[in-house]
Structures are given as C-alpha cells and as structure tokens.
Amino acid sequence: MKVGLVLEGGAMRGMYTAGVLDTFMENGILVDSIVGVSAGALFGVNYLSGQIGRVIRYNKKFNGDKNYMGLRPLLHEGNIVGTKYAYHDVPRELDPFDDETYKQSEIPFYAVITDIESGEPEYVQIKSVFEQIDTLRASGSMPFVSKPVKIGDRQYLDGAVSDSIPYEWLLKQGYDKIIVVLTRDIAYRKKSLSKILVNLCYRKYPKLKERLMGRHTMYNESVARLTELEKQNSVFVIRPSAPIEIGKIEKDPDKLQSVYELGVSDMLACLQKLKAYMA
C-alpha cells in the first residue's frame, strides 16, 4: 500500500498547509511520496526536514521586510519575492533550512513547474533544496509579478499554471491512496483572467497564454473530479473549513497565524479519519 501526498499552492494561503503538515509531524503521519505546487512545494519541503513551526515562524518574521517581498523587489528585479533574500539569505543564514535531514529522507518530493514555451507541466524530484533552489523558485514564480526562471536551456514559471492540483499525476505513478491538501474551501470556483493582461505580458508565448486563459476551467474541472473521487473514498481531501481571505503577499502576522491555526484545527478534526483511510 503506497500513500501519496499532494500539496496545492496559493501563495500565503500556504500557511494553511503549514498548519496541516506541522500537525502531520506532531502525530507521526508519514507518506511514501509528495508532490507540491508553488507554495505547496516551497513550504512542503519542511515536512521532510522535520522543522515543525519553521514556515509560520519565518513568514511572520520576514514578510513585512520591504526587501523580502513586495513592491521593492518587484521594481528592482521584476520579482514580487526577492531572490537573494528569500531564497538564499533566509534558508541558509537567517532561519536555516535543514537540507541534510531533508536529503536523508527516503520520501521522494516533486515540485511542479511550467515550461513557458510549451505550456506543459514538469514534475521534478527535489533531492536537495539548496542545490535545486531555482526549481523551487520557479514553482513559486507567480505569473505577472515574477520573471521566468532559467533552468538549463529552458525557462519556467509557477507550476499551478499547468497543473494546480496534481493528484492525477500521482495516481498515474501507481499510488494506492492519495491525500490532497487544498488551500481553497469547498465552495470556491476560480474565475477567468483578463485577456488583455495575459496578451500584454505573454504575447510571445502562445502556449503559456492558452494555459493562462483556460486555467480557471482546468482548475474547476480538476476540483470537480477530485470531489467525485473523494465521494468514492479513493482520495482523502483536507481543505479549509472556511474561506481563507488573505492577500497573496500577506504581511500581517496575525492574519498569517490565523490561517496557520485553521490548518492545525482542521487537521486535528479529521486526524482519526485520515488514520483510518491510510490503514
């Protein structure tokens, strides 16, 4: 019996996922493979480094720094999240990520990224967070407010553009049971993007434009299929019990803490059901 874990993105809604995963760790919940998208990848790696509380701690501490996230890095380098500060200074020095413990884990972790030329998703195994930080950065590089990340001879953006909730990919890998952590409540449906904005920003990349313009349809259909699988007990879905209403680059530590605590409480509420599902 192999159990896979899927982590949706959602920028700072990822504090919900952090609360869920910290509760996993505190209760000894282990899986056999993980695939994370965007914030799901960036925050999810801490599950394998065993660093309970790190995600909520460093976001509450650094999100308010103008050099870390916001208008200043966007104007200076074209990225809403500062590359050096957020992806190098914080995990290596200011709130160190335990890459050695991560590398010793026998649980494979995959990050989803989107090729801007083909518009297709790629699922890259992250064997070392430090050595593959650009792949994780690409997975979390939100369209319109991030520059594509070059990896090899290709360029990539947010994995959520092409596969927001990659449970179907994990099912194809032969996993018997799938746990999916969402960051949207059950009533949420995604709306279409502005065609003018998409054309303005990505006119040179027709495949990416097509993905962006159809993303709301892809997402809503994916959620509908997931809900049917959930009814059949084929997957176990953990989702917010109430709408999460914070900004994508939320800086208010109290709001971040509130979303984190919702993840903890929701996970504790379904803990016994999850254990029964995994058994």
Side-chain angles (χ1 to χ4, degrees):
M1 184 69 69
K2 295 196 300 179
V3 180
L5 174 63
V6 178
L7 305 175
E8 184 184 13
M12 287 304 117
R13 294 196 312 276
M15 293 306 101
Y16 180 85
T17 303
V20 170
L21 294 182
D22 281 358
T23 308
F24 270 34
M25 288 187 273
E26 290 170 347
N27 288 275
I29 302 294
L30 295 175
V31 297
D32 299 296
S33 184
I34 307 166
V35 57
V37 183
S38 196
L42 290 167
F43 301 150
V45 292
N46 293 270
Y47 174 45
L48 297 189
S49 67
Q51 291 174 277
I52 297 173
R54 179 176 179 270
V55 174
I56 184 61
R57 181 178 66 241
Y58 81 75
N59 278 279
K60 287 173 66 177
K61 184 175 182 179
F62 296 110
N63 280 16
D65 190 317
K66 294 179 180 179
N67 296 305
Y68 181 82
M69 182 175 68
L71 188 59
R72 183 172 292 180
L74 182 62
L75 293 176
H76 285 188
E77 62 176 86
N79 292 311
I80 197 79
V81 178
T83 301
K84 181 178 182 298
Y85 198 163
Y87 292 102
H88 295 278
D89 294 351
V90 169
R92 289 181 180 272
E93 299 174 11
L94 302 177
D95 195 327
F97 176 79
D98 188 351
D99 200 37
E100 289 306 310
T101 296
Y102 177 90
K103 289 190 290 187
Q104 292 169 13
S105 171
E106 297 181 354
I107 302 171
F109 190 105
Y110 299 86
V112 186
I113 55 180
T114 301
D115 185 308
I116 66 171
E117 292 282 355
S118 68
E120 292 298 317
E122 293 184 16
Y123 308 84
V124 182
Q125 185 174 356
I126 305 298
K127 297 181 179 180
S128 164
V129 167
F130 288 162
E131 292 172 16
Q132 295 173 274
I133 195 67
D134 281 346
T135 300
L136 287 166
R137 185 163 66 89
S139 186
S141 290
M142 296 180 286
F144 311 115
V145 291
S146 307
K147 294 193 297 186
V149 178
K150 189 173 183 181
I151 302 172
D153 60 352
R154 309 292 290 180
Q155 294 190 85
Y156 299 90
L157 279 174
D158 197 329
V161 172
S162 53
D163 196 352
S164 295
I165 316 171
Y167 62 92
E168 291 180 312
W169 178 80
L170 205 53
L171 282 169
K172 291 177 182 176
Q173 310 309 306
Y175 286 84
D176 305 285
K177 297 196 174 185
I178 304 291
I179 304 165
V180 181
V181 181
L182 301 179
T183 59
R184 291 290 194 184
D185 63 281
I186 195 167
Y188 175 78
R189 296 297 179 271
K190 190 174 289 295
K191 298 178 181 179
S192 61
L193 292 169
S194 164
K195 188 174 183 179
I196 294 174
L197 180 62
V198 172
N199 283 328
L200 180 65
C201 295
Y202 299 112
R203 60 185 180 277
K204 295 181 180 179
Y205 305 102
K207 296 294 185 181
L208 184 65
K209 279 174 47 180
E210 184 179 341
R211 282 285 190 184
L212 286 166
M213 291 309 304
R215 189 185 169 203
H216 64 293
T217 300
M218 176 190 73
Y219 182 89
N220 294 336
E221 290 178 350
S222 180
V223 170
R225 291 193 296 271
L226 182 64
T227 302
E228 287 304 312
L229 290 173
E230 184 181 14
K231 291 176 181 177
Q232 298 166 17
N233 203 39
S234 299
V235 299
F236 191 96
V237 180
I238 303 162
R239 58 167 64 83
S241 55
I244 296 177
E245 298 176 349
I246 60 171
K248 287 189 174 182
I249 57 168
E250 183 62 61
K251 298 184 178 186
D252 186 329
D254 292 334
K255 291 182 179 180
L256 295 172
Q257 183 69 34
S258 177
V259 173
Y260 174 83
E261 290 176 358
L262 180 65
V264 172
S265 62
D266 284 353
M267 185 59 250
L268 287 173
C270 67
L271 181 61
Q272 296 308 315
K273 288 184 179 180
L274 175 62
K275 288 181 177 180
Y277 172 79
M278 294 178 70

